[in-house]
Amino acid sequence: MVKDYPTHPDLYMDPVDAAEILGVATSTLRSWARTGRLDGVVDWFPDPTNGWRYYRAGDVYDFAEQRGTST
């Protein structure tokens, strides 16, 4: 079954957008990323030394669906 995501699942979103979709604070999102609760996290884009973290859209929407917070 192919899911109908609001955006392409392989695109990445910033923490503010991901947190809004999941209905949590960005600090919660960072905690989930550190503990591995949320997959699809990259912290190498655009530069591995900048500390920026991005989230794969498909993983964010799947996680929101699992939590019952799907938009």
Side-chain angles (χ1 to χ4, degrees):
M1 178 176 102
V2 176
K3 293 188 176 187
D4 185 25
Y5 295 106
T7 188
H8 193 282
D10 287 332
L11 293 178
Y12 285 84
M13 58 180 64
D14 65 32
V16 173
D17 292 337
E20 183 177 329
I21 290 166
L22 293 168
V24 297
T26 55
S27 58
T28 301
L29 206 57
R30 283 192 302 274
S31 174
W32 289 348
R34 277 194 309 274
T35 61
R37 186 171 177 193
L38 179 59
D39 293 328
V41 178
V42 295
D43 52 8
W44 48 261
F45 180 81
D47 176 358
T49 62
N50 66 17
W52 296 355
R53 186 173 280 141
Y54 290 88
Y55 301 85
R56 186 178 167 275
D59 293 322
V60 171
Y61 287 115
D62 287 346
F63 194 61
E65 185 177 311
Q66 290 172 7
R67 295 185 70 238
T69 58
S70 183
T71 56

